[in-house]
Amino acid sequence: MSLAHSLICGCLMRESTEDTARFLEYPGIGLVEWRLDALHGIHTRNGLDEALAGLSLPGRHPVIATVRPERFRGGFRGTEEARIRALERTVRAGAEWIDLEDDLPEDVLSPFRDSAARVVISHHDFDGTPASDPLKHRVEHLATLGAHVLKIATYARTVEDNLRVLELIPFARKQFGAETIAFCMGPTGRWSRLACLLMGSPWTYVRFPELPASAPGQFTVAQMQTLLEIVGAG
Amino acid sequence: MSLAHSLICGCLMRESTEDTARFLEYPGIGLVEWRLDALHGIHTRNGLDEALAGLSLPGRHPVIATVRPERFRGGFRGTEEARIRALERTVRAGAEWIDLEDDLPEDVLSPFRDSAARVVISHHDFDGTPASDPLKHRVEHLATLGAHVLKIATYARTVEDNLRVLELIPFARKQFGAETIAFCMGPTGRWSRLACLLMGSPWTYVRFPELPASAPGQFTVAQMQTLLEIVGAG
């Protein structure tokens, strides 16, 4: 089972737009999640426009635009309306993907579903990992929201937590035909960020070595490249 | 969670006793499973004595002595009595561990349990991976046989097979206080050979780069060392 570097998604968490091009064109990865909520300028129209100019770079990777709100430990401090408007502008600026939280109402989701960008519906649980049934019900709910990819990330307290979350990947595909990224955050969940690819997730999130992690337990780009080369060597 | 190289068990599968010392003293691993059934000389008394001289090497790793019978795809073609006698001689020669198949009768097992060697009771399923309940009943049975470590290796046909087998590691510890090595063989199970350590297995089996694998899907020593360094870096 060969594991290509295209399965690697670098997380761009940066306060300034300096060097944006370098990360959007980073070698040996497949796509970039741009955590726009980390940008100082995100809260002003010009600040966001200046950043989104990066999306017109010809040789860049596909971008997942994310503006994570404070309720999911993100950096966006504006109103929810302002956040949604920012997300809309990232789609107009050419982001191929957009990450939307699973607690958003249908009237917010549906225009994005019909937009040019593909949708990742994401659920994060930073406190722990529920039992198997609530996790499966969560997947069932996410699968009704019409996303192209589901993302579930919970915090691992025990080693078993990883297995219940990894199980969601084949479960979602079989039950709902849904492509799913499911892994555990934190040191005890770190290895599931590799295992999720082997279970069938379309990509895994990694840290650019020069930048902070966007969630606990992330590997660097180079570490994940090495892991994929070894484990995929068959 | 740091992952030491001592969790790595090299599998010595070799027809001759040439270079035995090099493998028994191999750098950066914790122990060696010596597949004595691969030795041409195993079927003669002198042949085995010549090999077992290697156990008197002062600087060697702890050795798991294994004489795998044909019914478990091993190379030993003699009678079962001859095989048990060979195993007895490996214990007398100083092997720290002995690997015994889980279909052995109590009258064969009990002298080994009382010997100087610690016992690994192993179950192999080269054809596939049973459902969760039969796997757990298997663990329950193994746990009654008085081994120091249980080993369960099944063949992965689907990605989910890995999760059911990995789950046995914390299950066996919680239910029976048993240290368990549980992973899946084959390309689809390859990653579970790393994941089992993260789930709590006391070691994982790897291939010496110069020698054939003793089971499908094994990493080399160097590959596993790199995997542990990255995944354990936390």
Side-chain angles (χ1 to χ4, degrees), chain B residues 32-228:
Chain B
V32 172
E33 177 186 44
W34 196 350
R35 287 289 303 274
L36 292 157
D37 52 297
L39 278 175
H40 276 165
I42 180 70
H43 296 97
T44 67
R45 181 172 185 106
N46 293 346
L48 182 55
D49 283 346
E50 186 206 316
L52 293 181
L55 292 180
S56 51
L57 287 162
R60 69 170 171 82
H61 295 295
V63 162
I64 306 168
T66 302
V67 183
R68 196 74 74 217
E70 286 181 307
R71 67 179 183 278
F72 283 112
R73 302 200 184 179
F76 189 79
R77 297 188 314 284
T79 66
E80 187 69 350
E81 290 66 32
R83 190 175 78 89
I84 301 305
R85 277 199 308 275
L87 284 165
E88 287 162 356
R89 282 164 60 207
T90 65
V91 171
R92 284 199 298 275
E96 290 79 2
W97 292 86
I98 194 140
D99 178 304
L100 300 172
E101 296 73 19
D102 69 331
D103 62 352
L104 289 173
E106 174 56 18
D107 63 335
V108 170
L109 290 178
S110 86
F112 285 109
R113 268 202 306 264
D114 304 333
S115 75
R118 280 171 290 174
V119 175
V120 177
I121 291 275
S122 62
H123 174 76
H124 294 80
D125 185 334
F126 293 94
D127 299 322
T129 301
S132 196
D133 284 349
L135 280 173
K136 288 180 175 172
H137 290 138
R138 173 71 62 180
V139 164
E140 198 168 1
H141 167 63
L142 293 187
T144 64
L145 301 178
H148 298 83
V149 166
L150 314 184
K151 174 187 176 187
I152 295 186
T154 68
Y155 195 87
R157 300 262 169 225
T158 70
V159 290
E160 294 97 312
D161 289 348
N162 293 286
L163 304 184
R164 292 199 308 280
V165 170
L166 290 170
E167 186 185 21
L168 300 176
I169 300 165
F171 170 77
R173 178 174 292 152
K174 282 183 187 164
Q175 298 297 321
F176 313 108
E179 290 303 297
T180 302
I181 302 160
F183 59 88
C184 282
M185 299 179 281
T188 301
R190 187 167 154 81
W191 63 274
S192 69
R193 291 175 178 274
L194 166 66
C196 70
L197 295 179
L198 295 147
M199 295 297 297
S201 285
W203 65 73
T204 193
Y205 296 86
V206 302
R207 176 170 76 79
F208 290 112
E210 311 89 327
L211 300 182
S214 61
Q218 286 181 340
F219 293 104
T220 63
V221 173
Q223 287 175 330
M224 186 55 78
Q225 289 171 335
T226 303
L227 291 175
L228 297 190

Side-chain angles (χ1 to χ4, degrees), chain A residues 1 159-160 162-163 166-167 170-171 174 187 190-191 194-195 198-199 219 222-224 226-227 230-234, chain B residues 1 159-160 162-163 166-167 170-171 174 187 190-191 194-195 198-199 219 222-224 226-227 230-234:
Chain A
M1 174 177 178
V159 290
E160 293 97 312
N162 293 285
L163 306 183
L166 290 170
E167 187 185 20
F171 170 77
K174 283 183 187 165
R190 186 168 155 81
W191 64 275
L194 166 66
L198 295 146
M199 295 296 297
F219 294 104
Q223 287 175 330
M224 185 57 78
T226 302
L227 292 176
I230 293 176
V231 176
Chain B
M1 177 178 178
V159 290
E160 294 97 312
N162 293 286
L163 304 184
L166 290 170
E167 186 185 21
F171 170 77
K174 282 183 187 164
R190 187 167 154 81
W191 63 274
L194 166 66
L198 295 147
M199 295 297 297
F219 293 104
Q223 287 175 330
M224 186 55 78
T226 303
L227 291 175
I230 293 176
V231 177

